[in-house]
Amino acid sequence: MTDMVLAQDVQKYYGAFHALKGVNLQVSAGEVVCLIGPSGSGKSTLLRCLNQLESIDGGAIRIDGELAGYRQHGNTVRELSDAQVSRQRLASGMVFQRFNLFGHQTALQNIMEGPVVVQRRPRAQVRDEAMALLKRVGLADKHGSYPTELSGGQQQRVAIARALAMKPKLMLFDEPTSALDPELVSEVLAVMRDLAKSGMTMIVVTHELSFAREVANRVVFMDRGTLIETGTPDQVLGNPEHPRTREFINAVLA
């Protein structure tokens, strides 16, 4: 299997705070990896570094074999321009805790915005694809609705469709259900299950351990900027080796 994500000795500082301490992570194409861990452990920071919303202070990240943020010529490494970084960023779609939909646009318009404006693809083609994505996330009948007319779960499903409209190779989810009322969580997780079954490479920051157990190929536990333990869901969630992992899982289940 080819590596869709390869993070090597990734370092990230915020002033004196060492947020990521030599993180190494490899994710194969088509693999679903769930990142779990306490708040402040570096999970969201790692996702933002993978998507180049944050620059790294050491190490290297490759997405589908391409060095993120830099171009290497022999022994020389040069930083990419903002435009080149923006082009690289299109390889990954990101779904945040908050839905960040454009309030003045309908669900359909929100999904069409990126492909039409950024990728300059034909509007008619994009509209057909956007309608197909709305159907895929169970919202075909809401194409003319504005965000204020949608529930939180519906808004998050539109946000997922919007990310998919850019045809990413990789989907990053940063606690996509944490801002939702409990009864709306299942509808978003159902869409993510469907994505996983379709073969999409996914890295998911989540506290939904049952979802991680069911869908993930691997679960990674992070704490204080380091990867503490990684393995299959049965290994990490069912029989963790590290005391800190056991402590965290017991606290979540309690």
Side-chain angles (χ1 to χ4, degrees):
M1 271 191 175
T2 51
D3 289 339
M4 182 58 69
V5 175
L6 184 62
Q8 298 171 295
D9 193 29
V10 172
Q11 310 281 343
K12 177 64 183 176
Y13 288 87
Y14 295 103
F17 178 63
H18 200 175
L20 296 177
K21 304 172 182 175
V23 169
N24 292 288
L25 179 67
Q26 175 270 331
V27 181
S28 299
E31 191 175 16
V32 179
V33 172
C34 284
L35 292 178
I36 64 171
S39 298
S41 61
K43 307 182 301 299
S44 296
T45 300
L46 177 57
L47 282 199
R48 292 176 66 84
C49 289
L50 293 178
N51 198 37
Q52 298 193 69
L53 294 173
E54 299 276 2
S55 60
I56 62 175
D57 298 309
I61 292 171
R62 292 182 184 273
I63 305 295
D64 198 21
E66 188 173 358
L67 187 63
Y70 298 89
R71 178 160 292 140
Q72 188 164 2
H73 295 277
N75 294 325
T76 304
V77 177
R78 288 195 307 217
E79 199 168 346
L80 296 183
S81 67
D82 289 345
Q84 290 170 319
V85 168
S86 295
R87 180 193 61 78
Q88 282 192 336
R89 195 177 288 134
L90 296 178
S92 57
M94 189 146 175
V95 178
F96 300 88
Q97 297 178 30
R98 296 290 172 180
F99 326 121
N100 299 324
L101 299 179
F102 297 119
H104 65 288
Q105 293 185 341
T106 64
L108 182 65
Q109 290 168 336
N110 264 280
I111 296 169
M112 292 178 62
E113 180 79 7
V116 170
V117 175
V118 178
Q119 296 179 331
R120 301 185 185 280
R121 291 163 50 202
R123 181 173 290 273
Q125 176 191 349
V126 169
R127 188 184 192 283
D128 290 344
E129 292 176 0
M131 284 300 299
L133 285 169
L134 278 170
K135 182 178 180 180
R136 183 175 182 179
V137 300
L139 292 173
D141 61 329
K142 299 291 186 182
H143 64 91
S145 299
Y146 289 89
T148 53
E149 300 171 317
L150 301 173
S151 70
Q154 289 170 335
Q155 289 186 62
Q156 191 63 295
R157 284 186 279 160
V158 171
I160 293 172
R162 181 178 61 179
L164 291 173
M166 304 297 281
K167 300 183 183 297
K169 301 174 182 178
L170 165 71
M171 284 289 287
L172 306 171
F173 293 88
D174 188 6
E175 297 194 42
T177 60
S178 65
L180 300 178
D181 292 332
E183 65 268 23
L184 301 178
V185 169
S186 61
E187 65 189 52
V188 174
L189 294 182
V191 171
M192 294 170 65
R193 285 189 191 92
D194 174 69
L195 262 184
K197 288 177 184 174
S198 75
M200 174 62 75
T201 311
M202 297 164 56
I203 303 178
V204 184
V205 172
T206 185
H207 288 296
E208 301 286 342
L209 298 189
S210 59
F211 173 81
R213 185 183 293 276
E214 177 188 349
V215 176
N217 300 107
R218 272 189 301 140
V219 174
V220 176
F221 175 68
M222 285 189 73
D223 190 29
R224 298 184 182 182
T226 61
L227 303 191
I228 300 293
E229 188 165 351
T230 182
T232 66
D234 283 346
Q235 289 170 336
V236 177
L237 301 178
N239 189 28
E241 294 182 359
H242 198 283
R244 184 68 187 95
T245 313
R246 287 198 297 272
E247 180 185 0
F248 173 78
I249 291 172
N250 289 338
V252 171
L253 294 178

